[in-house]
PDB file of all heavy atoms in Angstrom:
ATOM      1  N   GLU G   1      -3.417  22.014  -1.571  1.00 93.00           N
ATOM      2  CA  GLU G   1      -3.341  20.708  -0.897  1.00 93.00           C
ATOM      3  C   GLU G   1      -1.956  20.070  -1.300  1.00 93.00           C
ATOM      4  O   GLU G   1      -1.694  19.753  -2.470  1.00 93.00           O
ATOM      5  CB  GLU G   1      -4.484  19.797  -1.315  1.00 93.00           C
ATOM      6  CG  GLU G   1      -4.333  18.399  -0.668  1.00 93.00           C
ATOM      7  CD  GLU G   1      -5.370  17.467  -1.167  1.00 93.00           C
ATOM      8  OE1 GLU G   1      -5.654  17.349  -2.387  1.00 93.00           O
ATOM      9  OE2 GLU G   1      -6.050  16.783  -0.340  1.00 93.00           O
ATOM     10  N   PHE G   2      -1.194  19.719  -0.255  1.00 95.00           N
ATOM     11  CA  PHE G   2       0.007  18.913  -0.367  1.00 95.00           C
ATOM     12  C   PHE G   2      -0.304  17.515   0.122  1.00 95.00           C
ATOM     13  O   PHE G   2      -0.968  17.266   1.152  1.00 95.00           O
ATOM     14  CB  PHE G   2       1.147  19.464   0.353  1.00 95.00           C
ATOM     15  CG  PHE G   2       2.342  18.584   0.546  1.00 95.00           C
ATOM     16  CD1 PHE G   2       3.273  18.504  -0.514  1.00 95.00           C
ATOM     17  CD2 PHE G   2       2.523  17.870   1.630  1.00 95.00           C
ATOM     18  CE1 PHE G   2       4.377  17.570  -0.473  1.00 95.00           C
ATOM     19  CE2 PHE G   2       3.619  16.977   1.723  1.00 95.00           C
ATOM     20  CZ  PHE G   2       4.546  16.842   0.641  1.00 95.00           C
ATOM     21  N   TYR G   3       0.152  16.445  -0.582  1.00 95.00           N
ATOM     22  CA  TYR G   3      -0.119  15.087  -0.205  1.00 95.00           C
ATOM     23  C   TYR G   3       1.040  14.229  -0.507  1.00 95.00           C
ATOM     24  O   TYR G   3       1.893  14.440  -1.378  1.00 95.00           O
ATOM     25  CB  TYR G   3      -1.343  14.515  -0.905  1.00 95.00           C
ATOM     26  CG  TYR G   3      -1.279  14.441  -2.458  1.00 95.00           C
ATOM     27  CD1 TYR G   3      -0.739  13.293  -2.992  1.00 95.00           C
ATOM     28  CD2 TYR G   3      -1.616  15.488  -3.249  1.00 95.00           C
ATOM     29  CE1 TYR G   3      -0.604  13.148  -4.453  1.00 95.00           C
ATOM     30  CE2 TYR G   3      -1.547  15.459  -4.593  1.00 95.00           C
ATOM     31  CZ  TYR G   3      -1.071  14.290  -5.184  1.00 95.00           C
ATOM     32  OH  TYR G   3      -0.928  14.294  -6.536  1.00 95.00           O
ATOM     33  N   ILE G   4       1.205  13.128   0.339  1.00 96.00           N
ATOM     34  CA  ILE G   4       2.220  12.213   0.266  1.00 96.00           C
ATOM     35  C   ILE G   4       1.565  10.855   0.576  1.00 96.00           C
ATOM     36  O   ILE G   4       0.888  10.678   1.574  1.00 96.00           O
ATOM     37  CB  ILE G   4       3.529  12.462   1.056  1.00 96.00           C
ATOM     38  CG1 ILE G   4       4.615  11.469   0.855  1.00 96.00           C
ATOM     39  CG2 ILE G   4       3.145  12.604   2.543  1.00 96.00           C
ATOM     40  CD1 ILE G   4       5.879  11.817   1.442  1.00 96.00           C
ATOM     41  N   ARG G   5       1.893   9.700  -0.181  1.00 95.00           N
ATOM     42  CA  ARG G   5       1.257   8.486   0.007  1.00 95.00           C
ATOM     43  C   ARG G   5       2.292   7.410  -0.230  1.00 95.00           C
ATOM     44  O   ARG G   5       3.205   7.530  -1.176  1.00 95.00           O
ATOM     45  CB  ARG G   5       0.126   8.309  -1.045  1.00 95.00           C
ATOM     46  CG  ARG G   5      -0.652   6.999  -1.091  1.00 95.00           C
ATOM     47  CD  ARG G   5      -1.570   7.055  -2.133  1.00 95.00           C
ATOM     48  NE  ARG G   5      -2.184   5.678  -2.406  1.00 95.00           N
ATOM     49  CZ  ARG G   5      -3.458   5.437  -1.874  1.00 95.00           C
ATOM     50  NH1 ARG G   5      -4.233   6.327  -1.376  1.00 95.00           N
ATOM     51  NH2 ARG G   5      -4.031   4.261  -2.253  1.00 95.00           N
ATOM     52  N   ALA G   6       2.276   6.369   0.508  1.00 95.00           N
ATOM     53  CA  ALA G   6       3.149   5.235   0.410  1.00 95.00           C
ATOM     54  C   ALA G   6       2.430   3.957   0.695  1.00 95.00           C
ATOM     55  O   ALA G   6       1.504   3.843   1.563  1.00 95.00           O
ATOM     56  CB  ALA G   6       4.340   5.334   1.422  1.00 95.00           C
ATOM     57  N   VAL G   7       2.746   2.862  -0.106  1.00 93.00           N
ATOM     58  CA  VAL G   7       2.076   1.655  -0.093  1.00 93.00           C
ATOM     59  C   VAL G   7       3.154   0.493  -0.170  1.00 93.00           C
ATOM     60  O   VAL G   7       4.134   0.674  -0.973  1.00 93.00           O
ATOM     61  CB  VAL G   7       1.016   1.411  -1.223  1.00 93.00           C
ATOM     62  CG1 VAL G   7       0.389   0.001  -1.098  1.00 93.00           C
ATOM     63  CG2 VAL G   7       0.016   2.493  -1.190  1.00 93.00           C
ATOM     64  N   ALA G   8       3.072  -0.508   0.683  1.00 90.00           N
ATOM     65  CA  ALA G   8       3.906  -1.643   0.638  1.00 90.00           C
ATOM     66  C   ALA G   8       3.205  -2.970   0.913  1.00 90.00           C
ATOM     67  O   ALA G   8       2.101  -2.992   1.449  1.00 90.00           O
ATOM     68  CB  ALA G   8       5.028  -1.423   1.664  1.00 90.00           C
ATOM     69  N   GLY G   9       3.683  -4.103   0.363  1.00 87.00           N
ATOM     70  CA  GLY G   9       2.973  -5.347   0.545  1.00 87.00           C
ATOM     71  C   GLY G   9       3.666  -6.429  -0.134  1.00 87.00           C
ATOM     72  O   GLY G   9       4.827  -6.318  -0.681  1.00 87.00           O
ATOM     73  N   ILE G  10       2.911  -7.566  -0.257  1.00 84.00           N
ATOM     74  CA  ILE G  10       3.340  -8.745  -0.974  1.00 84.00           C
ATOM     75  C   ILE G  10       2.676  -8.743  -2.297  1.00 84.00           C
ATOM     76  O   ILE G  10       1.436  -8.610  -2.343  1.00 84.00           O
ATOM     77  CB  ILE G  10       3.087  -9.984  -0.195  1.00 84.00           C
ATOM     78  CG1 ILE G  10       3.870  -9.993   1.160  1.00 84.00           C
ATOM     79  CG2 ILE G  10       3.475 -11.323  -1.064  1.00 84.00           C
ATOM     80  CD1 ILE G  10       3.558 -11.128   2.084  1.00 84.00           C
ATOM     81  N   PRO G  11       3.330  -8.971  -3.456  1.00 76.00           N
ATOM     82  CA  PRO G  11       2.608  -8.984  -4.750  1.00 76.00           C
ATOM     83  C   PRO G  11       1.606 -10.062  -4.778  1.00 76.00           C
ATOM     84  O   PRO G  11       1.818 -11.173  -4.237  1.00 76.00           O
ATOM     85  CB  PRO G  11       3.810  -9.207  -5.774  1.00 76.00           C
ATOM     86  CG  PRO G  11       5.066  -8.750  -4.990  1.00 76.00           C
ATOM     87  CD  PRO G  11       4.773  -9.162  -3.561  1.00 76.00           C
ATOM     88  N   PRO G  12       0.563  -9.914  -5.477  1.00 74.00           N
ATOM     89  CA  PRO G  12      -0.488 -10.891  -5.702  1.00 74.00           C
ATOM     90  C   PRO G  12       0.053 -12.066  -6.471  1.00 74.00           C
ATOM     91  O   PRO G  12       1.051 -12.028  -7.234  1.00 74.00           O
ATOM     92  CB  PRO G  12      -1.579 -10.236  -6.412  1.00 74.00           C
ATOM     93  CG  PRO G  12      -0.972  -9.039  -7.096  1.00 74.00           C
ATOM     94  CD  PRO G  12       0.248  -8.653  -6.201  1.00 74.00           C
ATOM     95  N   GLY G  13      -0.683 -13.168  -6.420  1.00 75.00           N
ATOM     96  CA  GLY G  13      -0.309 -14.413  -7.289  1.00 75.00           C
ATOM     97  C   GLY G  13      -0.108 -15.658  -6.432  1.00 75.00           C
ATOM     98  O   GLY G  13      -0.195 -16.765  -6.923  1.00 75.00           O
ATOM     99  N   LYS G  14       0.269 -15.427  -5.133  1.00 83.00           N
ATOM    100  CA  LYS G  14       0.415 -16.575  -4.229  1.00 83.00           C
ATOM    101  C   LYS G  14      -0.781 -16.789  -3.406  1.00 83.00           C
ATOM    102  O   LYS G  14      -1.852 -16.135  -3.695  1.00 83.00           O
ATOM    103  CB  LYS G  14       1.639 -16.308  -3.379  1.00 83.00           C
ATOM    104  CG  LYS G  14       2.985 -16.041  -4.069  1.00 83.00           C
ATOM    105  CD  LYS G  14       3.318 -17.357  -4.928  1.00 83.00           C
ATOM    106  CE  LYS G  14       4.758 -16.976  -5.674  1.00 83.00           C
ATOM    107  NZ  LYS G  14       5.239 -18.134  -6.370  1.00 83.00           N
ATOM    108  N   LYS G  15      -0.682 -17.722  -2.485  1.00 89.00           N
ATOM    109  CA  LYS G  15      -1.901 -17.950  -1.587  1.00 89.00           C
ATOM    110  C   LYS G  15      -2.240 -16.728  -0.747  1.00 89.00           C
ATOM    111  O   LYS G  15      -3.361 -16.472  -0.389  1.00 89.00           O
ATOM    112  CB  LYS G  15      -1.592 -19.175  -0.699  1.00 89.00           C
ATOM    113  CG  LYS G  15      -1.519 -20.471  -1.449  1.00 89.00           C
ATOM    114  CD  LYS G  15      -1.430 -21.656  -0.513  1.00 89.00           C
ATOM    115  CE  LYS G  15      -2.885 -21.774   0.231  1.00 89.00           C
ATOM    116  NZ  LYS G  15      -2.891 -23.080   1.080  1.00 89.00           N
ATOM    117  N   TYR G  16      -1.212 -15.996  -0.233  1.00 92.00           N
ATOM    118  CA  TYR G  16      -1.488 -14.900   0.687  1.00 92.00           C
ATOM    119  C   TYR G  16      -0.933 -13.603  -0.047  1.00 92.00           C
ATOM    120  O   TYR G  16       0.109 -13.504  -0.585  1.00 92.00           O
ATOM    121  CB  TYR G  16      -0.710 -15.065   1.902  1.00 92.00           C
ATOM    122  CG  TYR G  16      -0.797 -13.936   2.892  1.00 92.00           C
ATOM    123  CD1 TYR G  16      -2.094 -13.448   3.347  1.00 92.00           C
ATOM    124  CD2 TYR G  16       0.374 -13.338   3.340  1.00 92.00           C
ATOM    125  CE1 TYR G  16      -2.075 -12.367   4.277  1.00 92.00           C
ATOM    126  CE2 TYR G  16       0.242 -12.233   4.191  1.00 92.00           C
ATOM    127  CZ  TYR G  16      -0.875 -11.847   4.640  1.00 92.00           C
ATOM    128  OH  TYR G  16      -1.023 -10.755   5.543  1.00 92.00           O
ATOM    129  N   PHE G  17      -1.822 -12.550   0.039  1.00 89.00           N
ATOM    130  CA  PHE G  17      -1.414 -11.253  -0.613  1.00 89.00           C
ATOM    131  C   PHE G  17      -1.943 -10.229   0.403  1.00 89.00           C
ATOM    132  O   PHE G  17      -2.938 -10.390   0.903  1.00 89.00           O
ATOM    133  CB  PHE G  17      -2.141 -11.147  -2.003  1.00 89.00           C
ATOM    134  CG  PHE G  17      -2.248  -9.725  -2.390  1.00 89.00           C
ATOM    135  CD1 PHE G  17      -1.123  -8.887  -2.624  1.00 89.00           C
ATOM    136  CD2 PHE G  17      -3.510  -9.178  -2.647  1.00 89.00           C
ATOM    137  CE1 PHE G  17      -1.308  -7.678  -2.994  1.00 89.00           C
ATOM    138  CE2 PHE G  17      -3.714  -7.847  -3.062  1.00 89.00           C
ATOM    139  CZ  PHE G  17      -2.424  -7.102  -3.228  1.00 89.00           C
ATOM    140  N   PHE G  18      -1.039  -9.220   0.686  1.00 91.00           N
ATOM    141  CA  PHE G  18      -1.446  -8.071   1.483  1.00 91.00           C
ATOM    142  C   PHE G  18      -0.819  -6.794   1.005  1.00 91.00           C
ATOM    143  O   PHE G  18       0.224  -6.775   0.397  1.00 91.00           O
ATOM    144  CB  PHE G  18      -1.269  -8.294   2.879  1.00 91.00           C
ATOM    145  CG  PHE G  18       0.151  -7.827   3.411  1.00 91.00           C
ATOM    146  CD1 PHE G  18       0.179  -6.606   3.968  1.00 91.00           C
ATOM    147  CD2 PHE G  18       1.274  -8.627   3.196  1.00 91.00           C
ATOM    148  CE1 PHE G  18       1.492  -6.186   4.393  1.00 91.00           C
ATOM    149  CE2 PHE G  18       2.516  -8.169   3.614  1.00 91.00           C
ATOM    150  CZ  PHE G  18       2.575  -6.923   4.179  1.00 91.00           C
ATOM    151  N   TYR G  19      -1.461  -5.716   1.387  1.00 91.00           N
ATOM    152  CA  TYR G  19      -0.779  -4.389   1.225  1.00 91.00           C
ATOM    153  C   TYR G  19      -1.257  -3.555   2.376  1.00 91.00           C
ATOM    154  O   TYR G  19      -2.400  -3.687   2.910  1.00 91.00           O
ATOM    155  CB  TYR G  19      -1.026  -3.646  -0.172  1.00 91.00           C
ATOM    156  CG  TYR G  19      -2.419  -3.252  -0.476  1.00 91.00           C
ATOM    157  CD1 TYR G  19      -2.965  -2.090   0.124  1.00 91.00           C
ATOM    158  CD2 TYR G  19      -3.259  -4.091  -1.291  1.00 91.00           C
ATOM    159  CE1 TYR G  19      -4.253  -1.704  -0.204  1.00 91.00           C
ATOM    160  CE2 TYR G  19      -4.576  -3.646  -1.492  1.00 91.00           C
ATOM    161  CZ  TYR G  19      -5.082  -2.538  -1.019  1.00 91.00           C
ATOM    162  OH  TYR G  19      -6.347  -2.111  -1.240  1.00 91.00           O
ATOM    163  N   THR G  20      -0.341  -2.581   2.654  1.00 94.00           N
ATOM    164  CA  THR G  20      -0.658  -1.557   3.708  1.00 94.00           C
ATOM    165  C   THR G  20      -0.154  -0.254   3.299  1.00 94.00           C
ATOM    166  O   THR G  20       0.930  -0.251   2.671  1.00 94.00           O
ATOM    167  CB  THR G  20      -0.160  -2.084   5.127  1.00 94.00           C
ATOM    168  OG1 THR G  20      -0.611  -1.110   6.062  1.00 94.00           O
ATOM    169  CG2 THR G  20       1.295  -2.184   5.089  1.00 94.00           C
ATOM    170  N   GLY G  21      -0.670   0.788   3.733  1.00 94.00           N
ATOM    171  CA  GLY G  21      -0.274   2.053   3.432  1.00 94.00           C
ATOM    172  C   GLY G  21      -0.668   3.189   4.140  1.00 94.00           C
ATOM    173  O   GLY G  21      -1.540   3.096   5.075  1.00 94.00           O
ATOM    174  N   THR G  22      -0.194   4.427   3.967  1.00 95.00           N
ATOM    175  CA  THR G  22      -0.631   5.579   4.757  1.00 95.00           C
ATOM    176  C   THR G  22      -0.565   6.856   3.722  1.00 95.00           C
ATOM    177  O   THR G  22       0.178   6.777   2.744  1.00 95.00           O
ATOM    178  CB  THR G  22       0.422   5.836   5.898  1.00 95.00           C
ATOM    179  OG1 THR G  22      -0.088   7.019   6.703  1.00 95.00           O
ATOM    180  CG2 THR G  22       1.799   6.125   5.364  1.00 95.00           C
ATOM    181  N   GLN G  23      -1.376   7.837   4.051  1.00 95.00           N
ATOM    182  CA  GLN G  23      -1.308   9.078   3.208  1.00 95.00           C
ATOM    183  C   GLN G  23      -1.561  10.246   4.207  1.00 95.00           C
ATOM    184  O   GLN G  23      -2.298  10.149   5.091  1.00 95.00           O
ATOM    185  CB  GLN G  23      -2.511   8.996   2.307  1.00 95.00           C
ATOM    186  CG  GLN G  23      -2.696  10.304   1.381  1.00 95.00           C
ATOM    187  CD  GLN G  23      -3.595  10.099   0.203  1.00 95.00           C
ATOM    188  OE1 GLN G  23      -3.754   9.108  -0.421  1.00 95.00           O
ATOM    189  NE2 GLN G  23      -4.546  11.186   0.038  1.00 95.00           N
ATOM    190  N   HIS G  24      -0.812  11.291   3.878  1.00 95.00           N
ATOM    191  CA  HIS G  24      -0.977  12.533   4.607  1.00 95.00           C
ATOM    192  C   HIS G  24      -1.368  13.625   3.680  1.00 95.00           C
ATOM    193  O   HIS G  24      -0.826  13.745   2.608  1.00 95.00           O
ATOM    194  CB  HIS G  24       0.426  12.905   5.240  1.00 95.00           C
ATOM    195  CG  HIS G  24       0.348  14.212   5.987  1.00 95.00           C
ATOM    196  ND1 HIS G  24      -0.400  14.389   7.112  1.00 95.00           N
ATOM    197  CD2 HIS G  24       1.098  15.401   5.792  1.00 95.00           C
ATOM    198  CE1 HIS G  24      -0.195  15.549   7.610  1.00 95.00           C
ATOM    199  NE2 HIS G  24       0.702  16.257   6.821  1.00 95.00           N
TER     200      HIS G  24
END
């Protein structure tokens, strides 16, 4: 199995926090 994964977002600590990502 070969895999690759990436995640991006806004760091936690403020009023709004999010992350989104993908994996193959």
